[in-house]
Amino acid sequence: MVFDFLEPVSESFIKYKDNLPSQSLGKKVFFHTKEEFPDLDQIALAIICVNEYRGTEAEIEFQGFDNFRKKIYALFPGNWNVSIADLGNIRFGETIEDTYFLIKSVNEDLVRKKIIPIIIGGSHDLTFPLYRAYDNLDQMVNLVTIDSKFDFAKEKGSLEESYLTRIIVEEPNNLFNYSNIGFQTYYNSQEEIDLIEKLYFDAYRLGEVSNKIAIAEPVFRDADLVSIDMNAVQSSYSGRNGVFNPNGFDGKEICTLARYSGISDKVSTFGVFNSWFSEKESVLIAQMIWYFIEGFCFRSKEYPFGTKENYLKYIVLVEEEELVFFKSNKTERWWIEIPFLSNANNKLKRNTLLPCTYDDYLAACEQEIPSRWWKAYRRNLL
């Protein structure tokens, strides 16, 4: 059984948890201990920590998972109706590929059981085995990363700096779309930026998102896998000084993005990487996970549409294109239809709906084709 490779949470943490207030989150979570393993049939969210940093060249001062667990489980839950388990830690593999295999296997098993894995710790290249977990699930994957860099292969780069190339190049190729939230131009070569455009992927600069964070919400609404690199957060908020980041998302913004991830009906895997678990950083990560869970508890179950009766349909003619929009009566969120072309090599098998914003509808009314629709349309033909 793949879960046999999971280590239980530490006994010192269990002693700490036992002394928490009865209303704290720690008293409402099922833990993997030496004595028992949670009944997964009763679980909706599973938290797992990973101590695997061999994919990065950074000097990681790993401080253990107890800091993080103490911070998150001392928090108080909202008005949630969700069952959560902490499955402990993934064992350190003899090689990094061994760890990849364990992460892939655990993630695939949980997703099959309709349990959302929340993976904490390790370097950002662990996104690769999380993506590979979908190989046998018979679906195309939309990957969203919150990262200051595009992790394409570099001449002398680490695994962490090249995992995205593996995702794009290696078979089986299940990737339908990749979206980056918060890239910083000076960390990325022009060739990398041009490649993002050539492949019709979506990328949003840090300033663009910080100026209007709501533009990121539709991106998460269409995501299967969300992966956060803590290097995308300002050091003044993460408390990290070893690798100093003067620019990045602030604490409120990264928590907002985590909540967008949770509230998405489609997200089935969530990961936070490049965390060193210092006292300060553990506080922020704990709050990010709290907001992800909060978002999950408020999912509207609007995707995919079971019926279109509760949606208003808008048709806009832009040049020779007929753009079809849908607006939810329940949440007032917007979608735009990507048409199926019978005479093309479609990745999609039917008309599909792409999350968008009200501003995209207004732009269409002004005869401007929304950028995400155009990229999705072109990507469907590749």
Side-chain angles (χ1 to χ4, degrees):
M1 182 178 178
V2 68
F3 298 111
D4 291 341
F5 293 95
L6 294 174
E7 297 176 338
V9 299
S10 70
E11 292 184 12
S12 61
F13 168 74
I14 293 299
K15 292 178 181 178
Y16 169 85
K17 185 265 298 184
D18 289 342
N19 292 317
L20 289 173
S22 61
Q23 295 301 312
S24 66
L25 183 59
K27 290 298 180 72
K28 302 179 185 302
V29 171
F30 300 96
F31 289 93
H32 174 198
T33 66
K34 284 187 175 181
E35 291 74 30
E36 61 180 338
F37 191 85
D39 179 2
L40 296 180
D41 291 336
Q42 309 300 320
I43 300 303
L45 303 173
I47 296 173
I48 303 173
C49 294
V50 186
N51 179 14
E52 176 57 87
Y53 293 91
R54 284 176 287 184
T56 181
E57 295 176 349
E59 295 183 6
I60 302 295
E61 298 177 7
F62 179 67
Q63 300 185 34
F65 299 121
D66 279 2
N67 272 345
F68 161 70
R69 287 191 166 104
K70 288 178 180 179
K71 299 304 185 227
I72 186 170
Y73 295 125
L75 300 176
F76 293 95
N79 185 22
W80 301 344
N81 181 23
V82 60
S83 53
I84 305 170
D86 188 322
L87 302 185
N89 312 321
I90 287 185
R91 295 182 188 276
F92 196 82
E94 185 174 339
T95 68
I96 193 169
E97 291 295 335
D98 291 335
T99 308
Y100 283 178
F101 177 77
L102 291 175
I103 293 171
K104 172 185 179 296
S105 301
V106 168
N107 202 65
E108 179 180 341
D109 235 33
L110 291 173
V111 173
R112 282 187 184 278
K113 296 177 186 296
K114 307 298 183 184
I115 299 171
I116 296 180
I118 301 174
I119 309 297
I120 313 294
S123 46
H124 205 201
D125 54 291
L126 300 188
T127 304
F128 175 71
L130 293 181
Y131 162 76
R132 286 270 77 105
Y134 291 85
D135 286 353
N136 300 317
L137 299 178
D138 193 30
Q139 68 171 86
M140 299 298 289
V141 178
N142 289 334
L143 167 64
V144 175
T145 66
I146 300 174
D147 198 345
S148 59
K149 301 177 182 180
F150 304 127
D151 292 314
F152 291 116
K154 298 180 173 61
E155 292 180 7
K156 296 182 179 180
S158 62
L159 289 172
E160 183 182 26
E161 295 176 320
S162 60
Y163 77 86
L164 189 57
T165 299
R166 292 187 67 180
I167 288 177
I168 294 172
V169 172
E170 290 188 10
E171 297 288 342
N173 190 340
N174 312 315
L175 185 68
F176 180 70
N177 189 29
Y178 165 70
S179 301
N180 172 283
I181 304 292
F183 81 95
Q184 298 177 40
T185 307
Y186 38 73
Y187 287 143
N188 301 276
S189 68
Q190 189 58 50
E191 288 78 10
E192 290 174 300
I193 296 172
D194 291 343
L195 182 59
I196 289 289
E197 288 296 319
K198 183 178 179 180
L199 295 173
Y200 303 111
F201 290 154
D202 298 313
Y204 298 82
R205 292 179 63 174
L206 171 66
E208 186 180 6
V209 180
S210 293
N211 184 54
K212 189 174 184 180
I213 200 164
I215 65 171
E217 186 275 329
V219 180
F220 292 103
R221 210 187 321 156
D222 202 37
D224 299 289
L225 166 57
V226 175
S227 175
I228 300 178
D229 187 334
M230 287 301 293
N231 287 321
V233 180
Q234 288 183 48
S235 289
S236 55
Y237 288 91
S238 67
R240 178 185 300 179
N241 294 315
V243 179
F244 182 70
N245 297 319
N247 290 306
F249 291 113
D250 63 28
K252 180 180 178 181
E253 290 167 343
I254 199 69
C255 286
T256 299
L257 297 176
R259 191 178 190 278
Y260 284 159
S261 304
I263 209 168
S264 166
D265 292 321
K266 199 163 179 262
V267 169
S268 54
T269 301
F270 182 73
V272 179
F273 302 102
N274 276 328
S275 44
W276 301 358
F277 300 104
S278 65
E279 284 282 331
K280 292 181 179 179
E281 191 173 39
S282 293
V283 172
L284 178 57
I285 296 172
Q287 293 183 12
M288 290 164 58
I289 303 305
W290 189 98
Y291 274 103
F292 177 84
I293 300 171
E294 169 89 347
F296 174 83
C297 292
F298 285 94
R299 288 189 172 188
S300 60
K301 298 178 174 58
E302 289 185 310
Y303 185 95
F305 290 146
T307 173
K308 294 180 181 177
E309 294 177 358
N310 296 321
Y311 300 84
L312 292 175
K313 182 177 181 180
Y314 299 80
I315 299 176
V316 181
L317 294 176
V318 180
E319 298 176 356
E320 297 180 358
E321 294 288 347
E322 184 179 271
L323 301 185
V324 180
F325 290 86
F326 291 91
K327 177 186 176 184
S328 167
N329 293 333
K330 183 177 182 180
T331 63
E332 297 190 349
R333 295 190 295 186
W334 288 77
W335 285 262
I336 185 172
E337 190 172 76
I338 304 173
F340 172 78
L341 303 177
S342 59
N343 60 343
N345 182 26
N346 290 263
K347 286 187 176 181
L348 302 174
K349 305 303 180 186
R350 55 182 172 77
N351 286 13
T352 190
L353 295 170
L354 179 73
C356 65
T357 65
Y358 176 56
D359 287 344
D360 289 325
Y361 168 71
L362 294 179
C365 292
E366 295 295 327
Q367 297 299 293
E368 180 181 336
I369 293 179
S371 173
R372 290 191 71 238
W373 180 91
W374 184 81
K375 288 182 178 181
Y377 181 83
R378 296 295 302 173
R379 198 164 55 242
N380 190 28
L381 304 179
L382 289 178

